[in-house]
Amino acid sequence: MDFKSHLKQKSKYIEDKLKEYMPQESGYQKNLFKSMNYSLSSGGKRLRPILIMESYRLCGGSDEKFVPFSMAIEMIHTYSLIHDDLPALDNDELRRGKKTNHIVFGEDMAILAGDGLLSHAFEIMLGSETKSLEEAQNKLKAAYEISRGAGIYGMIAGQVVDVESEGKSIDIDKLNFIHLNKTAAMIRACMRCGARLAGAPEREVEAISLYGEKIGLAFQIVDDILDIEGDENILGKHVGSDIENEKSTYPKLIGLEKSKEVSKRLVMEAKEALSIFENETEFLAKLSEYIVNRDR
Amino acid sequence: MDFKSHLKQKSKYIEDKLKEYMPQESGYQKNLFKSMNYSLSSGGKRLRPILIMESYRLCGGSDEKFVPFSMAIEMIHTYSLIHDDLPALDNDELRRGKKTNHIVFGEDMAILAGDGLLSHAFEIMLGSETKSLEEAQNKLKAAYEISRGAGIYGMIAGQVVDVESEGKSIDIDKLNFIHLNKTAAMIRACMRCGARLAGAPEREVEAISLYGEKIGLAFQIVDDILDIEGDENILGKHVGSDIENEKSTYPKLIGLEKSKEVSKRLVMEAKEALSIFENETEFLAKLSEYIVNRDR
């Protein structure tokens, strides 16, 4: 099977699992569930859940223990998009070609649906029984990695500095801080989470972590590039908004060609980081290439 | 020592610990930390952290393992207030006599500070090392109780139905759903968290859980009553807002006197639930009385 078919198959697997994990739309709070499920169902590449699965497998995990964590990360990713789209933040009306959550359900519900997804992610990760010390410790560490990546020294830090930097010219250090935290921290956390869950030795955790950081940064640089060169119909969102919002981006600070070079170099370094593993790393290697070559 | 001195002493203990746990206001994201710390420092009774501590002690816990959980619950409580005060929700400009978070730091930062506090709460709970299977399992269960209480079958559910019910007349079942979820679920979760952390048997977890649910509901009914009879100067917030917002409350649905009766009965039932414990329950018994007799 070629890479794209593989990716599709894995996305489908995550998609099906996600349906099982979505709250049933009943009870007094059913509109909350509708709002959460609306955004959870909005497609996307399901990249983060796949990364947890792949990291778990690469580090020797052979059962389905990664599933609650994969579901949780997609809920956290979805909450971050809902809050990011709010009028007080990016004020976006479209996301992946669909109306954003607050446009459909109102701002109050969008805030609470985001809060609900974040809380529920932890409920899912922490919920089930554990039988051995190793299993319990791995689970604690895996959930910790997610909380760290999503938190005030991770994603939220990137969000805040991103918001504060709008309309200002910032230097490359600050831009790297934003990109590394806003996007790469969560992707790195996915890799660490899968490795922790499999009880990987520290050396493997650090290697897979480096892979995550590199592809996370590359992912964000490609995002910056797509906002200039992308096709609105393929992307499903408005192009050129970074320039309109006077956002500092990689192309703005170091130029378009140089940005492409950097993203390619990052992917090479990501692949190098995989070299310590004895298990099959082909899918993750191809995935890193896909990230720089994607058109949406 | 009398009850009030005891309570003050415990609040002071929590207050001091909280200062240690507040993020240092440095780094690119220092305004995020300022915003979080502003709301974390806004006083309040620190009731929830004290409840975790007391439940842990009552169930036999003798060390300081409850501390990260007490800090976490105060962060979650604080996040819920910040988001609740937002223009899209209650649109409050004052909280405990101080300007609300979004008035001082802007709506964007208030949303992100809330998100940050919720994520950070889990980071704190899950962060430290565990040595035995029992310790690791207790920690997982304790953090799970918090996620459940704060989540879409707990606090968020109450919030959503509360928001949706504004300006509508609702029946007592729905009002009970709101009160039980919006307020009681978290207080119940505090009790369960402390008990889980101490590795209490199921029978004790259920008893302390019942205590929490009863005082949680009483707490909210007293809140409804104070919005009618309270003193603005003592409360530190505007009185009469429930009537202005046409909110369904206990006094509105069953009358002021009947509401007082119900809150007193709940406190009696809460105290009864404590009867299975052999350890000292006096402080928790007094605390339940304090809740119905408080003036702020």
Side-chain angles (χ1 to χ4, degrees), chain A residues 23-24 27-33 36 79 83 86 88-89 107-109 111-120 122-137 139-141 143-144 147-154 156-161 163-164 171 173-174 177 181, chain B residues 23-24 27-33 36 79 83 86 88-89 107-109 111-120 122-137 139-141 143-144 147-154 156-161 163-164 171 173-174 177 181:
Chain A
Q24 242 205 309
Y28 282 125
Q29 72 274 51
K30 72 165 175 294
N31 289 331
L32 168 69
F33 299 152
M36 291 165 62
Y79 118 76
H83 280 191
L86 286 169
L89 288 138
E107 227 181 300
D108 47 1
M109 190 63 92
I111 293 168
L112 292 169
D115 294 346
L117 284 165
L118 178 54
S119 313
H120 200 54
F122 284 96
E123 202 172 328
I124 288 173
M125 285 187 279
L126 302 169
S128 59
E129 290 289 316
T130 49
K131 287 186 190 87
S132 69
L133 174 60
E134 208 200 335
E135 188 191 350
Q137 285 180 333
K139 202 166 138 178
L140 278 167
K141 284 180 189 164
Y144 172 76
S147 70
R148 183 91 191 166
I152 62 177
Y153 303 104
I156 305 279
Q159 282 275 44
V160 163
V161 182
V163 166
E164 287 186 332
D171 62 20
D173 283 350
K174 203 169 196 172
F177 179 90
N181 283 288
Chain B
Q24 242 204 309
Y28 283 125
Q29 72 272 52
K30 71 166 177 293
N31 289 331
L32 168 70
F33 298 153
M36 291 166 62
Y79 118 75
H83 281 190
L86 285 168
L89 287 138
E107 227 180 302
D108 47 0
M109 190 63 92
I111 293 168
L112 292 169
D115 294 346
L117 284 164
L118 178 55
S119 312
H120 200 54
F122 284 96
E123 203 173 327
I124 288 174
M125 287 188 279
L126 302 168
S128 59
E129 289 289 315
T130 50
K131 287 186 189 86
S132 70
L133 174 60
E134 208 198 337
E135 189 192 350
Q137 284 180 334
K139 202 165 139 180
L140 278 167
K141 284 180 189 165
Y144 172 75
S147 70
R148 183 90 190 164
I152 62 177
Y153 303 104
I156 304 279
Q159 281 274 43
V160 162
V161 182
V163 166
E164 287 186 331
D171 62 20
D173 283 350
K174 203 169 195 172
F177 179 89
N181 284 288

Side-chain angles (χ1 to χ4, degrees), chain B residues 172-191:
Chain B
I172 193 84
D173 283 350
K174 203 169 195 172
L175 183 63
N176 273 326
F177 179 89
I178 295 171
H179 282 4
L180 281 172
N181 284 288
K182 193 176 169 175
T183 312
M186 279 300 280
I187 291 180
R188 185 172 168 272
C190 289
M191 307 317 289

